Amino acid sequence: GAMGAMAEAVTIGRYRTDADYPTMDPDQFPQPIRTGTTSKFLLVGKPNPSLCQTLIVRGFGVAVAGFDVALTGVTSLLPDYAAASQAAIDYLFNLGHKRIAILSGPFGATDYHIIELNRGVRAGYDKVNVPIEAQNIIYGDLAMENGYKAVDILMERPEPPTAVFCFDDAAAAGVIARAQARGISVPEDLSVVGCADNSVSGHTQPALTTVHLPAEEIGAAAVRETDRRVRERDSFPTEANRILLPVKLVERASSAPPKKGN
């Protein structure tokens, strides 16, 4: 999305984000950054905080596509995660599901997207004045393996859920695979909804109902934001800024109303 929106020469630099590399030597920056001939900075993917700080100290504005960076001078462009999870919960309640399990990421996670997704879930339950059942919240990473394990935990309950909402499509794919391995029909016995609408969602059987997070649109919007900041000389805002892009639910074959009596 970002590359498609570019209308001028681009320098692409790669940077490390691992914990063993907490600082970034300015001498390692690409030449246009070292010499000051570059005026727009767009970081795609998990950012290196020290790189952001260095650019900010030099008086440059920074935009980050897809991750939240709470630093003055940085504009973070993100999906509206809270709206995404609320859309999924609203959808399942509207289908008639009452027992909904949530695969919600690691316990105590402080990542912005996990916090916002959990906030949207709570808003969805509050909207229908239904309490969240703690036993139906599964914590852990959002990989396919954890979705697989979650099914074994949930289906041993006296009243197992009729639907599962996963904070990532990979975990949702694991739920579908394990449910079918146990003889549980999706969506007749168990509806599954993911969040991302990435390449995984098109390869599950049945195809995954999910919430589309606008990755390409975020890249293009980030380019427009960097252009605006240079054009309006808004290189150093007085606070961190977030721009949230709209999401939409994509209904496919992995979800349906619950069986009568459930």
Side-chain angles (χ1 to χ4, degrees):
M3 295 303 296
M6 296 288 186
E8 55 196 322
V10 178
T11 296
I12 299 178
R14 302 176 71 90
Y15 54 87
R16 293 175 60 179
T17 61
D18 52 273
D20 294 331
Y21 196 68
T23 61
M24 190 162 190
D25 184 351
D27 290 336
Q28 296 179 340
F29 291 163
Q31 186 270 342
I33 300 178
R34 294 198 308 271
T35 58
T37 57
T38 297
S39 59
K40 304 174 185 176
F41 295 92
L42 169 59
L43 278 62
V44 178
K46 185 177 181 180
N48 182 309
S50 70
L51 172 58
C52 293
Q53 287 279 20
T54 299
L55 295 174
I56 291 168
V57 168
R58 292 185 177 192
F60 295 116
V62 180
V64 179
F67 279 81
D68 180 60
V69 178
L71 291 174
T72 299
V74 175
T75 298
S76 302
L77 294 98
L78 305 151
D80 191 339
Y81 288 111
S85 53
Q86 183 171 352
I89 296 300
D90 288 350
Y91 169 73
L92 289 170
F93 276 128
N94 288 335
L95 284 178
H97 292 280
K98 298 178 181 178
R99 298 194 305 276
I100 303 170
I102 312 293
L103 270 64
S104 69
F107 181 78
T110 58
D111 296 322
Y112 172 82
H113 70 288
I114 297 293
I115 292 172
E116 288 296 289
L117 287 167
N118 277 302
R119 185 167 71 86
V121 168
R122 289 193 299 272
Y125 274 82
D126 290 344
K127 184 177 178 180
V128 294
N129 198 27
V130 173
I132 299 175
E133 295 186 35
Q135 67 173 357
N136 283 337
I137 300 176
I138 302 296
Y139 298 102
D141 65 53
L142 295 171
M144 186 173 182
E145 181 181 1
N146 201 46
Y148 214 81
K149 294 177 180 176
V151 173
D152 290 334
I153 295 171
L154 293 168
M155 292 303 145
E156 297 302 322
R157 302 272 164 79
E159 289 189 304
T162 61
V164 180
F165 170 52
C166 305
F167 283 8
D168 189 270
D169 287 351
V175 170
I176 291 175
R178 183 56 179 160
Q180 292 175 334
R182 290 177 59 114
I184 300 166
S185 179
V186 177
E188 289 79 10
D189 300 321
L190 183 69
S191 286
V192 183
V193 177
C195 186
D197 197 23
N198 57 30
S199 58
V200 172
S201 63
H203 295 285
T204 60
Q205 293 295 332
L208 180 64
T209 293
T210 187
V211 183
H212 176 75
L213 303 182
E216 291 191 8
E217 294 90 335
I218 286 172
V223 172
R224 293 193 296 270
E225 173 64 7
T226 58
D227 288 344
R228 182 199 66 78
R229 289 176 64 163
V230 171
R231 184 175 63 253
E232 299 177 8
R233 297 185 179 181
D234 184 23
S235 62
F236 198 80
T238 57
E239 58 185 18
N241 186 34
R242 293 190 186 104
I243 297 176
L244 303 182
L245 274 72
V247 300
K248 64 179 179 181
L249 187 129
V250 180
E251 187 175 19
R252 297 194 180 101
S254 68
S255 54
K259 286 181 177 180
K260 290 185 178 181
N262 286 333

